Amino acid sequence: MRRNLVAGNWKMHGGLVANQRLLADVVLGAATLGRIELAVFVPFPYLAQTQSLLSPTAIAWGAQNLSEHAKGAFTGEVSAAMLGDFACRYVLVGHSERRSLFGDTDAKVVAKVEAALAHGLRPVLCVGETLAEREAGSTMEVVGAQLAAVLDRVGVAAFAQVVLAYEPVWAIGTGRTASAEQAQEVHAGLRQQLAVLDADVAAGVRIVYGGSVKPDNAAELFAKPDIDGGLIGGAALVAEDFLKICRAAGE
Ligand code: PEP
């Protein structure tokens, strides 16, 4: 029933020439993919280029962050309405790099989710535990609290528009991925947390996994019942690898 989503998070990589080539290759390869949805999260300056190259295709695009404010004296910030001007379908919220490096607290993440929803953008809400938290056995407590912070404020019905991304911090950019069983356990726990409030919303929410997904581990992860695709960092910068991962999600 849920359609898998594979989304590339380019982080602070790219350039006009490189993007053109990467997107052209992805568009070409995507033509033969099955029922999955594709998206790319590009740096702000490349939203116009991405919009122009992807508008004729079914591939979605979005930004990696947004301001919680609507407008005003917030130098360097980008609002939800501005992202709407570039026809973004999605926006990443609460990526662990934003949480750890740029002060995105749970309160800020909640406000950003609200700003996105108010402007018709679908937030991809990232949650994940650190290695110390996993080793202390508090993974579900940590990701559950990150989800609850948003849930308590926006309500479960809003999750019809939200994609959840489980991204263990220790697996992002490290080459060390969660096992399919570890990921499935967390995904099922997150879905259960929603199901307590609304079984239909829980059944429809896509929960994607992120953290060193590569062509050789994607199929095993995506075969799990509660893993509905992936958020892909490093491997999304190489068209061939990204497309192999997309194919694994279409099987
Ligand atoms: C990410 O940036 O969200 C990510 C999952 O990165 P990587 O695939 O490189 O671990």
Side-chain angles (χ1 to χ4, degrees):
M1 167 186 144
R2 294 183 298 270
R3 189 170 164 221
N4 279 347
L5 169 68
V6 178
N9 172 18
W10 290 6
K11 312 197 191 207
M12 200 172 72
H13 294 289
L16 287 173
V17 174
N19 302 345
Q20 163 101 37
R21 199 172 312 127
L22 176 56
L23 288 173
D25 288 347
V26 169
V27 167
L28 205 64
T32 56
L33 293 171
R35 203 184 148 260
I36 69 162
E37 184 181 10
L38 262 62
V40 287
F41 291 98
V42 306
F44 293 130
Y46 303 128
L47 283 172
Q49 180 194 27
T50 303
Q51 179 184 16
S52 125
L53 291 170
L54 296 186
S55 284
T57 79
I59 303 173
W61 60 91
Q64 300 166 15
N65 181 35
L66 80 166
S67 172
E68 66 272 39
H69 303 291
K71 63 165 80 165
F74 300 106
T75 301
E77 292 291 276
V78 174
S79 71
M82 292 171 187
L83 299 183
D85 280 345
F86 293 93
C88 292
R89 187 181 304 166
Y90 294 106
V91 60
L92 291 182
V93 181
H95 189 281
S96 70
E97 287 152 19
R98 301 290 326 168
R99 290 181 190 261
S100 65
L101 302 172
F102 301 102
D104 277 10
T105 57
D106 273 343
K108 254 184 187 256
V109 167
V110 171
K112 288 181 181 200
V113 168
E114 285 186 306
L117 290 171
H119 287 83
L121 296 165
R122 295 171 181 227
V124 176
L125 171 63
C126 304
V127 298
E129 82 288 5
T130 63
L131 187 57
E133 289 164 342
R134 172 158 286 269
E135 286 174 350
S138 48
T139 297
M140 270 329 294
E141 199 181 309
V142 170
V143 298
Q146 289 169 338
L147 172 57
V150 177
L151 203 44
D152 290 351
R153 182 73 166 267
V154 304
V156 69
F159 275 71
Q161 306 303 322
V162 176
V163 173
L164 270 176
Y166 169 54
E167 297 210 303
V169 178
W170 48 272
I172 297 178
T174 58
R176 181 178 170 189
T177 190
S179 70
E181 289 70 27
Q182 285 174 320
Q184 165 59 26
E185 188 183 6
V186 176
H187 285 227
L190 291 169
R191 200 179 302 285
Q192 182 53 31
Q193 190 172 342
L194 294 167
V196 169
L197 301 168
D198 189 318
D200 289 340
V201 169
V205 166
R206 287 177 297 179
I207 309 178
V208 300
Y209 169 80
S212 298
V213 178
K214 306 289 177 206
D216 60 359
N217 60 24
E220 197 186 345
L221 285 159
F222 299 160
K224 292 293 178 192
D226 288 294
I227 302 182
D228 307 313
L231 182 55
I232 319 300
L237 298 171
V238 179
E240 200 188 327
D241 289 351
F242 186 59
L243 287 164
K244 278 186 188 155
I245 293 168
C246 292
R247 256 173 238 123
E251 280 160 6

